[in-house]
Amino acid sequence: MSRSRGLAAFALITAAALGLTACGSGEAGGTDAAGAGPAAGQQGKIPTADVVSAVRKDDAAAALLPANVRAAGTLTIATSVGTPPGATYLEDGKTVVGQDVDFADAVAKVLGLKLKREVAAFEVILPALDSGKYDLGTGNFGVTDARRKTIDFVTYINDGQGFAVRKDSELTSVTDLAQLCGLNVATGAGTTFEATLEQNKAKCVDAGKKPYAVQTYSDQGALWISLQQGRSDVVMSTINGLRYAVGRQEGLKFLNEYHRLDVGFAFKKGTPLAPAFQAAVNRLRKDGTYDRILAKWGTTGSGIEQSQISPPEHK
């Protein structure tokens, strides 16, 4: 296939998979570290298997909710819609699906709650939690020590940071950010990737080399097009997201994992909701729903043994 035809095909895939309003969590979706791919028959498609409706309420977990929440029966959740497996749109451009969506909906069923879901840009969700606009948020939010100062997390998977390039790139792996000196690095706006890149630019100066340029995107479709068209040299994003994306685009390759992070539901610091959500995630592990969600989205290598509340960042 010619490069122009490949880009045209990619544009069609992007429009179908992302919708027109995808925003910048960097969640391009994913196969896992163990190499598991999409569920059978799902190559090139958004998985639609129902893995949530059979979940039943767990009275012990629900009892951990504050009385006013149990009485109201509803929470407002902000969801960052990027690309699979985290969260994306179906072809109707309205229905939000993804791993984050399935986990949130399954936890809500365990707790006997209904979720009022609002789509929000990745970079605005965490600040909005403190204001009380949302009760919780999802967006493949990695647990970092910096974020733990103002946000509480309840973990449900492990993901992290990695890199992808075009197949004609001379890069074979990135184990030190100094390897990126002089290159254009594309990443999602407001993400841990952007923060990591900005914090380490001095490595190039110290090595007497030209610093890399950080190119941030809120629209993940635009990010991948920039790589395909050569405006960017490398993409830094989620491990799962990168594997999912390069498996569905011609001419790209996943390089390597760089840094693993726990991922969790995000709440305002000091939230009374955390113990109930932790119990609900652990309940999903016991009844098999947890594994079914991971299998659906091809992310079994991101499973965790048990949910934790705001654990220290992996170093």
Side-chain angles (χ1 to χ4, degrees):
M1 180 181 291
S2 68
R3 185 166 181 81
S4 60
R5 288 178 64 193
L7 289 173
F10 170 69
L12 291 174
I13 292 171
T14 300
L18 307 187
L20 299 179
T21 56
C23 57
S25 70
E27 292 172 328
T31 51
D32 58 57
Q42 294 294 343
Q43 184 69 32
K45 300 178 181 179
I46 301 298
T48 56
D50 178 6
V51 292
V52 174
S53 64
V55 175
R56 297 291 179 258
K57 180 180 178 181
D58 183 282
D59 290 335
L64 297 174
L65 290 167
N68 64 319
V69 175
R70 293 199 305 273
T74 303
L75 292 176
T76 300
I77 182 172
T79 298
S80 170
V81 181
T83 48
T88 190
Y89 290 103
L90 291 182
E91 291 184 4
D92 62 9
K94 298 177 182 179
T95 305
V96 180
V97 297
Q99 180 172 258
D100 288 345
V101 176
D102 282 346
F103 273 119
D105 288 350
V107 164
K109 288 181 73 68
V110 170
L111 298 177
L113 299 173
K114 293 186 180 299
L115 296 179
K116 178 183 177 184
R117 179 170 283 107
E118 297 185 12
V119 173
F122 176 86
E123 58 267 29
V124 307
I125 292 178
L126 297 186
L129 293 173
D130 190 59
S131 71
K133 183 177 182 179
Y134 308 115
D135 295 305
L136 71 151
T138 58
N140 208 69
F141 290 114
V143 181
T144 67
D145 290 339
R147 285 176 173 169
R148 290 195 306 134
K149 295 177 181 178
T150 57
I151 298 294
D152 279 342
F153 294 93
V154 174
T155 62
Y156 57 94
I157 61 168
N158 178 276
D159 195 349
Q161 303 173 336
F163 296 93
V165 295
R166 295 183 303 279
K167 285 185 177 178
D168 60 5
S169 173
E170 295 182 1
L171 283 174
T172 57
S173 68
V174 178
T175 57
D176 188 319
L177 295 183
Q179 294 171 255
L180 302 177
C181 297
L183 301 180
N184 293 321
V185 186
T187 195
T191 61
T192 58
F193 319 115
E194 180 184 5
T196 297
L197 290 166
E198 293 292 351
Q199 291 166 3
N200 286 276
K201 273 187 172 181
K203 287 190 172 188
C204 296
V205 177
D206 294 343
K209 299 179 180 179
K210 179 182 177 181
Y212 49 76
V214 182
Q215 302 171 326
T216 58
Y217 295 86
S218 289
D219 186 318
Q220 292 298 293
L223 182 154
W224 287 109
I225 289 172
S226 76
L227 181 64
Q228 288 275 15
Q229 294 182 340
R231 296 194 304 274
S232 301
D233 301 300
V234 58
V235 168
M236 186 179 189
S237 190
T238 66
I239 294 166
N240 286 338
L242 292 171
R243 284 195 167 101
Y244 191 102
V246 302
R248 286 157 176 77
Q249 298 177 50
E250 181 182 0
L252 302 183
K253 62 181 178 181
F254 175 77
L255 287 188
N256 62 289
E257 297 182 8
Y258 180 72
H259 178 48
R260 278 271 171 177
L261 289 171
D262 287 320
V263 171
F265 298 107
F267 302 86
K268 179 179 180 179
K269 190 70 177 178
T271 180
L273 298 172
F277 272 71
Q278 180 190 30
V281 173
N282 288 332
R283 175 62 186 176
L284 294 174
R285 282 201 51 79
K286 291 180 180 179
D287 70 17
T289 302
Y290 184 90
D291 290 336
R292 286 190 286 273
I293 293 174
L294 293 183
K296 172 183 176 179
W297 295 102
T299 56
T300 54
S302 284
I304 57 176
E305 290 299 318
Q306 62 179 0
S307 177
Q308 300 182 74
I309 298 174
S310 298
E313 178 180 351
H314 291 292
K315 298 299 185 180

